[in-house]
Amino acid sequence: MKEAKKEYYKIEILNYLMNKEVVSTSQLAEAVGMSEKSIRNKIYEINEFLKENDMGIIQKKPRVGIWLECNDEQKERIQAILINKNATFNRDEDSNRMDEVLKIFFKLRPWETVTTQKLANELYLSSPTILKVIRECEKWLLNYNVSIVNEKNKGYRLDCNENEYRIAMKNFLMKDFNVEKIKSNIDYFFYNIDTKLIQKAIIETENEWNYRFTDESFYEIFIYCCIAYQRKDIQSPVVKDENEIMILQKYNEYPFTVAIFKKLQDKFHILFSNEEVFFLATQMMCSKFIGISAVDEMVEQVSKYDNRLIDFVDMSLRIVGSILDVDLSKDEKLKESLIFHLRPTIFRIRHGFSHTNSLSNFIKTEYKNVFRATMSISILFEEYYGLQLTEDEVGYIVLYIQSAIERMHKHFKVVLIVDSNRAQAQLISERINKSIREIESIKIMSTHDFKLYGDSEGDIVVATTQLDIKDPRIIVIPNLLSESGIVSLREKMTSLFYNKQTKERFFSPECYPLLDLDLLFVEQEFNTREEVLRFMAQSMVDHGYVTKHFIDTVMERENATTTCIGNNISVTHGAQSEVIESKVSIAVLKKPIPWNDEEEVDMVFLLGFKMASPDEIKRIQLFYKEYISIIEKEENIEKIKSMKTNIDLYKFLIQ
């Protein structure tokens, strides 16, 4: 209501100026019913709108007055806006303009086009502004591999395949996920369809199958069904992979989709193609629409029809467990969770829907060792599925593995050294217990008692001040009542856990074949990510370790996902198919270079790994384990960066 009132006053002001030659601010304020200060603010907003859309300008001259300066063509366009009840003068309406243009594009059939002039007339905008909005639309559509092409003497149209069109349109209709707006969009695009009948078919199937969708999932299926009906005589979705269809048919999503389309066919007395069923079932797989309550039912399905996924999960747990020195293979809950997660993940990545993970940066920092170990299975994923496992997807897997590790190691006994009053000691104890679930018990002692009697049962000794005692269990954190103090305690506990049974070591003899003096580079200077990677890859090509196409697969991975792992380090790799002999190249840069929009890198590991035999797999597992033990320590990173020759670096790595 407030916004409508603002627009009303702007229209009244512009109407008044259209009918007067020159007026004063006081005359205008009296005519519209506003204060002179408010009039001046509104004049500014209207003037910016007019200038931006090439509709003239409001001139102001002291002691003379205010007047509207425009030609006849501009005056006609202003008049059209004044007649339009939905007119708006807000300058921050770029998003709304983009939405209006996208609506027009999505309503076009594949062979139809729209001209700049027609868009300008429909939206009451100038041609330059329309061109600017089209560029904004192009950016939005690029996320779905949809482009806007301009056909000479015809106009603009969307260029994409049918699958891309439908996914983009569905996401456009559900933009910002506002139910009322979604309903309005459905009414706008499918006004010629009995959408209530489609809705009824989905709800009936949902009830018969005893599934309960979230609102978001329901509307996604609803929109896809509306699109299928509307475009049944225009174009069918594309079915790409027969093997994928064979697997898809074994899962619950497929018969559920068949049931929906069967109801639609009965209600509308029409036939839908098999491609429509496969497309919607695939979207369900990608988005995990159906929440199967019995996980064991889903795992049983996978065990029967998708042995490759079972094998991949088993192999992944062996690899990551070996690197972290923990046995993950016996954790059935972890195995089931990964199967449940990876089943739709494979479909998502294959169809370009890889999910973003807002926790990625936190995961890389908080669980960096698990993250680095889990990155090792990305090569295995490419081998099994021919797909890039992105950093965001790795992050989700890390959370499952970290949870499993915490289940295995959740019994830390803590000795808390506090010399303040008992009440404060108890407060600190409760704060730690509440914040860190891995702690089983806390024993409170004074410095005097600890020095006198000691304690042999505690795994960790936490003190608020430095103690003149040599004990590797001691952690000193002055501010245990603060959030930063708890974070510091958790970090040191994690470090203690990973290092308490791990002796100081670098690469063992089994890994030496992966190292080559000629692939180690120190004090290098590069300006871009591509420069350093091409230099390293070319060195591997020159020595016959990889094919000349290896660099293309490296850059493809870099463009697909970030390879930064923290501490200004990047670890990347190319496709196994382009590797002749497994090798590692390392480059240490004199100064950091931008690696992505947020991170810089001054140390690069380029991996050319081929896992064609059990011995090679074991060697690469061992490499990951030992490489993590090296770079997890700041002093090791600093030593590597201080090396003056490749020989120094080689000697350091094999000491």
Side-chain angles (χ1 to χ4, degrees), residues 319-535:
I319 290 173
V320 176
S322 172
I323 293 168
L324 294 174
D325 275 328
V326 292
D327 185 2
L328 300 171
S329 62
K330 294 184 178 67
D331 192 327
E332 289 300 317
K333 182 177 180 180
L334 172 60
K335 184 174 179 178
E336 290 172 355
S337 298
L338 286 178
I339 290 171
F340 194 84
H341 175 79
L342 287 169
R343 187 179 71 117
T345 295
I346 294 161
F347 279 82
R348 283 203 305 269
I349 297 176
R350 183 170 286 135
H351 292 274
F353 306 139
S354 189
H355 282 185
T356 55
N357 187 344
S358 60
L359 293 174
S360 285
N361 288 333
F362 171 82
I363 290 166
K364 286 166 66 175
T365 304
E366 187 77 4
Y367 311 126
K368 61 183 178 182
N369 289 316
V370 178
F371 178 82
R372 290 165 179 174
T374 306
M375 282 291 285
S376 67
I377 68 171
S378 58
I379 298 177
L380 188 67
F381 190 80
E382 290 174 28
E383 177 69 15
Y384 268 73
Y385 297 103
L387 303 169
Q388 299 277 359
L389 192 62
T390 66
E391 180 190 63
D392 287 331
E393 295 290 359
V394 168
Y396 286 112
I397 297 171
V398 167
L399 291 177
Y400 290 118
I401 294 173
Q402 179 66 31
S403 297
I405 291 172
E406 289 183 9
R407 285 197 298 273
M408 296 165 60
H409 303 277
K410 200 177 179 181
H411 306 294
F412 283 93
K413 292 181 179 178
V414 174
V415 178
L416 178 62
I417 309 297
V418 181
D419 290 319
S420 54
N421 63 66
R422 189 75 184 175
Q424 185 177 5
Q426 192 61 42
L427 180 62
I428 293 173
S429 174
E430 289 176 3
R431 169 86 168 147
I432 294 172
N433 251 327
K434 184 179 178 181
S435 303
I436 304 178
R437 298 192 310 272
E438 297 93 313
I439 292 176
E440 179 185 282
S441 64
I442 298 178
K443 180 179 179 180
I444 300 173
M445 296 182 71
S446 67
T447 305
H448 175 269
D449 288 346
F450 185 75
K451 286 182 177 180
L452 189 61
Y453 305 112
D455 183 277
S456 59
E457 294 183 1
D459 299 302
I460 302 168
V461 178
V462 182
T464 56
T465 57
Q466 290 290 344
L467 303 179
D468 187 21
I469 304 171
K470 288 188 177 180
D471 189 326
R473 299 174 300 164
I474 294 175
I475 298 173
V476 179
I477 302 175
N479 52 342
L480 275 168
L481 286 175
S482 69
E483 192 67 35
S484 61
I486 294 295
V487 170
S488 180
L489 175 57
R490 175 178 286 282
E491 287 175 352
K492 292 185 179 183
M493 283 175 60
T494 302
S495 176
L496 181 64
F497 165 67
Y498 283 114
N499 290 304
K500 65 182 178 181
Q501 293 181 338
T502 305
K503 64 179 181 180
E504 184 71 27
R505 67 179 181 190
F506 294 93
F507 288 120
S508 54
E510 292 91 334
C511 291
Y512 293 172
L514 298 173
L515 302 172
D516 185 324
L517 266 172
D518 293 332
L519 299 180
L520 305 179
F521 308 99
V522 298
E523 297 196 314
Q524 298 294 305
E525 290 193 51
F526 295 97
N527 295 315
T528 67
R529 176 184 69 179
E530 186 168 359
E531 281 181 18
V532 64
L533 289 176
R534 288 195 176 279
F535 170 79

Side-chain angles (χ1 to χ4, degrees), residues 66-78:
I66 304 168
W67 69 94
L68 176 63
E69 195 172 278
C70 58
N71 58 36
D72 291 340
E73 189 268 334
Q74 290 169 328
K75 187 171 285 190
E76 284 181 14
R77 289 173 58 208
I78 293 172

